[in-house]
Amino acid sequence: MKNKSSYFKAVSVGLLTSLPVQAWAVEGGIEAYLLGSRDSMAGMLPPAGSYWNNDFVFFNGTAPSLSAGGVVVTDPEVDVFTYKFNFTHVFDATWGNTRLGLNVNLPYVSANGVYSGELSSGFSGTLHDTGEQALGDMTVTPLFNWNKDKLHTTLALQFFLPTGHYQSTSVDVANRTVDALNASKNRFAFDPTVSMTWFDPASGWEVTGAFGITFSAKNDATDYQSAPEAHLEATVMRHLPNKLALGLTGYAYHQIGDDSGAGADATKALLGANSLEARVFGIGPIVSWSTTIASTPVTFKAKYISEFGAKRRFESDKFWLTVGVVF
């Protein structure tokens, strides 16, 4: 760990695996910002260049109820696989003492679900979702980075663009199927997030934290306005001389206020709920390893996050694998 410059070059491909990822979407069940996106080295920006990350996210979640595509279903259980193409360019030019970067990512989503009933029409019984395989919403994120000694800070201004596939829910009572899952949130959103990393190359210890708030536009298709969503993420890692790193990562999420609009009011009325304000917590192990394959720097990162304390959203288990490459 004595050569700080060489160490940064070795792990630079892995730094951008902490950039945000677009979640697939069920309105009222999952946030636009995919929790757990920022972990090790999130406050850092690697050397100037282009970086390509491949994110593979496996998700299984349950909830008492949720609003999906304009109807309310009870006891949903969903299984989701997401592949995300994640491209980042870090510029040579600086703005004063500020380093600049730009991230673009596009997810492909495959999902299916099972629900115990569809409350909006009074139908009860098990319903199987016909599934969703489609492109999700694109995100574009300008990045601004500052460094001082061992402390690194990055401001990310993430824009969620409703470019993915979205449709209103349809129910086939005869075949006991429902088409409720969507790859898009069908709304614009803006998420400013500040990430800070304290890293000591000599000892290998790293502490990273990130805090942001997602502000969403209204989903006009369902007249559903999601309240602002605050998310706090933290990671502690020990980086070893063999470029292996081990640690613990986690997050806390809480909506600031209540969802509104006719769609949210109808959901509350059907469920007999006074509020749709959501929260959840998650924690789990994380491991990364940097190497070189055919003279190309490559980083592998894996993490498992188990959620708990969920309220008015999915409680899930996530397995996340990232393979990063430097151009």
Side-chain angles (χ1 to χ4, degrees):
M1 296 293 177
K2 292 182 179 180
N3 190 329
K4 182 176 180 179
S5 176
S6 63
Y7 182 81
F8 283 169
K9 289 181 180 179
V11 302
S12 63
V13 67
L15 303 184
L16 295 169
T17 62
S18 296
L19 287 171
V21 224
Q22 171 64 37
W24 73 284
V26 275
E27 190 166 55
I30 289 293
E31 59 286 339
Y33 175 82
L34 183 57
L35 294 170
S37 295
R38 289 181 173 90
D39 47 52
S40 179
M41 302 295 187
M44 288 188 174
L45 202 60
S50 296
Y51 302 83
W52 171 33
N53 285 331
N54 300 273
D55 290 293
F56 305 89
V57 185
F58 303 85
F59 167 104
N60 173 266
T62 59
S65 60
L66 66 94
S67 175
V71 301
V72 178
V73 294
T74 58
D75 293 331
E77 180 176 356
V78 294
D79 292 292
V80 181
F81 165 72
T82 298
Y83 165 74
K84 183 182 68 65
F85 172 85
N86 185 337
F87 176 80
T88 300
H89 183 74
V90 181
F91 299 96
D92 285 313
T94 60
W95 181 23
N97 65 342
T98 304
R99 301 182 61 226
L100 307 173
L102 181 67
N103 170 262
V104 177
N105 67 67
L106 181 65
Y108 177 82
V109 180
S110 177
N112 60 77
V114 178
Y115 318 113
S116 72
E118 188 270 309
L119 300 183
S120 298
S121 67
F123 177 81
S124 61
T126 300
L127 293 171
H128 293 273
D129 199 295
T130 54
E132 173 79 338
Q133 295 84 35
L135 290 175
D137 291 339
M138 176 184 293
T139 61
V140 178
T141 309
L143 303 167
F144 307 87
N145 175 259
W146 304 269
N147 302 316
K148 185 176 181 181
D149 298 326
K150 298 175 184 178
L151 184 63
H152 309 263
T153 303
T154 294
L155 170 64
L157 303 178
Q158 186 175 15
F159 295 88
F160 295 84
L161 310 178
T163 57
H165 176 260
Y166 181 88
Q167 66 180 20
S168 298
T169 295
S170 61
V171 180
D172 185 341
V173 176
N175 293 313
R176 307 189 75 81
T177 62
V178 58
D179 189 0
L181 298 176
N182 282 298
S184 171
K185 276 290 190 183
N186 196 44
R187 65 175 189 247
F188 287 95
F190 173 59
D191 186 294
T193 297
V194 175
S195 303
M196 302 183 75
T197 294
W198 178 89
F199 176 59
D200 180 14
S203 67
W205 280 106
E206 171 208 346
V207 178
T208 290
F211 176 75
I213 301 178
T214 306
F215 301 92
S216 298
K218 183 174 67 174
N219 182 350
D220 291 328
T222 57
D223 195 14
Y224 197 110
Q225 175 65 65
S226 294
E229 302 156 281
H231 49 88
L232 175 66
E233 294 157 297
T235 301
V236 177
M237 296 280 283
R238 177 69 190 280
H239 297 261
L240 304 175
N242 60 0
K243 299 179 183 178
L244 180 70
L246 305 170
L248 195 65
T249 188
Y251 52 74
Y253 162 91
H254 202 295
Q255 275 190 294
I256 305 172
D258 197 7
D259 298 342
S260 59
D265 292 341
T267 299
K268 285 189 281 188
L270 285 166
L271 298 176
N274 295 323
S275 172
L276 299 176
E277 189 174 332
R279 74 179 186 201
V280 76
F281 307 92
I283 193 168
I286 178 172
V287 58
S288 68
W289 179 55
S290 299
T291 187
T292 300
I293 300 177
S295 74
T296 299
V298 180
T299 291
F300 300 91
K301 181 169 64 176
K303 56 190 173 184
Y304 171 79
I305 300 176
S306 180
E307 292 185 338
F308 60 95
K311 191 174 183 180
R312 305 183 185 96
R313 75 177 297 283
F314 276 113
E315 186 169 283
S316 66
D317 292 307
K318 297 175 186 173
F319 176 73
W320 202 314
L321 175 65
T322 299
V323 181
V325 180
V326 178
F327 284 103

